[in-house]
Amino acid sequence: MIVRLIRGDAPARRAVTAALEAMGAKVRFLEFPFGSFLAGLGLENPPLKKIQAMAGVAWAKAAGSRPILAAREQNPHGSLVALGRMEIGGEALALVAGPCSVEDREQIFSTARFVAAYGATALRGGAHKPRTSPYAFQGLGQAGVELLKEAGLEAGLPVVTEVMDPGDVAAMAPFVDCFQIGARNMSNGPLLKAVGRAGKPVLLKRGPSATLAEFVLAAEYILLEGNAQVILCERGIRTFETATRNTLDLNAIPVLKGMTHLPVVVDPSHGTGLRHAVTPMARAAVAAGADGIVVEVHPDPARARSDGDQSLHLPEFRRLAEELRPVAEAVGRRLDLPETLNQVPLLRRSMGWGGSR
Ligand code: PEP
Ligand code: MN
């Protein structure tokens, strides 16, 4: 069961913990910007009424097949996830850009410098790559993670990279600002728990055949470890259509916003698989209310070791950023491109775009 505590009531926290433990529950205290909770796990018949009646308890809910911590009602204004200089979910849009795979120093440094100069807010790049074929390039592994971080530091950008094995989390953590959980691993419980415990932001990609309800439950795993810094990423689902790699499900944006308080970003690169479709779908995603865009960019897509067909050339990234700005403004959002970034060093949290209270 999940118990919402009245914030700051330490005696209540101790009393409820003791009561749950006496019944044999495993108890965790979870403190988020939007509230304090106790999770009492492992009880067959949780004594809701008894706990509900205790001092300092706002409510107690039986945990079942629906998300509780990730549910919109826990934070109706929407949660913000800090990444580098920005807070994703606020008025300003996130622009996460970089190659599918980190390939070599020159490739990742040149991409990092370029995207930083033209409006990216974070640098992406895979080092542990989930490839369909075991014969395909599998990524540079830990060396790639460290190279990505070096490039990010030089360019002044936080870095996002995929983790595939819970056993890699500890080695990667010092070099990673945001862990990506790839679509293929969306429902990998041990991995979700491991990144939850790492306490860093997580970019959670939707599984290609996951429903939105399943997607939010995957996020719930991370929150249940005490980490609410989760960014949901729609990246296309598998449908009968074969003209595109996946079908970008823009329904997901408003529907997820109704289901959960977590920020929602969109990856039109994997969502379409087609370079020429990336920018139009990025514009559509921003128009539909996405909190940011994740996009693959490569200095020489024809030579990319993965996902070259969907990677933007560097100048196309610049154009994408410029084209997204008026769309953002039309829907009451902001895209801080470099000249405005210098004038607006801090996010204006008071603008009415969410804020974790
Ligand atoms: C990626 O971001 O390069 C990637 C592998 O994405 P997905 O997990 O969405 O396929
Ligand atoms: Mn890719």
Side-chain angles (χ1 to χ4, degrees), residues 48-340:
L48 287 181
K49 288 222 170 78
K50 178 181 164 173
I51 300 295
Q52 184 89 62
M54 293 181 72
V57 171
W59 48 249
K61 284 189 204 287
S65 55
R66 292 163 72 89
I68 297 177
L69 301 169
R72 183 88 199 171
E73 63 193 89
Q74 302 312 334
N75 191 14
H77 298 291
S79 288
L80 301 174
V81 177
L83 184 58
R85 66 196 300 171
M86 80 170 309
E87 288 178 306
I88 303 178
E91 186 195 6
L93 295 183
L95 201 45
V96 180
C100 180
S101 299
V102 178
E103 297 170 1
D104 55 61
R105 175 172 286 272
E106 169 57 24
Q107 174 244 19
I108 193 63
F109 274 72
S110 60
T111 309
R113 281 185 206 118
F114 190 94
V115 300
Y118 292 107
T121 54
L123 176 67
R124 63 146 290 153
H128 297 282
K129 292 305 298 179
R131 302 305 300 281
T132 303
S133 165
Y135 303 114
F137 175 55
Q138 304 287 303
L140 298 181
Q142 180 69 16
V145 174
E146 297 182 18
L147 203 52
L148 177 73
K149 182 63 186 171
E150 235 189 275
L153 282 173
E154 196 218 48
L157 295 177
V159 300
V160 182
T161 195
E162 178 164 354
V163 58
M164 292 174 56
D165 184 333
D168 290 336
V169 169
M172 291 172 72
F175 305 96
V176 170
D177 300 294
C178 176
F179 281 110
Q180 175 173 323
I181 300 290
R184 293 160 187 78
N185 274 312
M186 183 207 83
S187 48
N188 181 338
L191 188 60
L192 296 170
K193 290 178 188 175
V195 293
R197 286 193 288 267
K200 297 212 169 196
V202 178
L203 180 77
L204 176 62
K205 298 189 98 177
R206 180 184 182 184
S209 57
T211 65
L212 295 176
E214 290 163 347
F215 190 17
V216 179
L217 279 167
E220 183 88 1
Y221 267 91
I222 301 170
L223 271 73
L224 196 51
E225 299 298 322
N227 184 358
Q229 302 166 83
V230 181
I231 305 146
L232 300 176
C233 180
E234 162 59 36
R235 47 75 75 201
I237 54 175
R238 193 162 268 205
T239 68
F240 54 80
E241 183 56 74
T242 54
T244 48
R245 181 178 181 183
N246 290 290
T247 296
L248 190 63
D249 178 16
L250 295 183
N251 293 351
I253 304 163
V255 176
L256 285 171
K257 294 262 167 193
M259 295 167 75
T260 174
H261 53 83
L262 301 170
V264 179
V265 300
V266 170
D267 170 354
S269 304
H270 295 86
T272 64
L274 300 170
R275 181 178 309 117
H276 73 88
V278 168
T279 297
M281 295 315 287
R283 289 195 304 253
V286 169
D291 295 304
I293 297 295
V294 179
V295 66
E296 288 184 343
V297 180
H298 196 286
D300 188 0
R303 287 167 174 264
R305 298 187 75 178
S306 60
D307 288 352
D309 292 345
Q310 66 193 35
S311 298
L312 297 183
H313 294 93
L314 300 179
E316 289 173 316
F317 172 75
R318 179 180 185 175
R319 223 168 302 135
L320 167 74
E322 284 166 358
E323 288 186 23
L324 285 182
R325 176 135 73 165
V327 182
E329 286 167 2
V331 294
R333 307 297 287 271
R334 232 174 59 228
L335 185 62
D336 293 329
L337 297 183
E339 67 281 8
T340 55

Side-chain angles (χ1 to χ4, degrees), residues 17-28:
T17 301
L20 287 168
E21 281 176 350
M23 294 164 209
K26 286 181 82 174
V27 183
R28 284 181 205 170

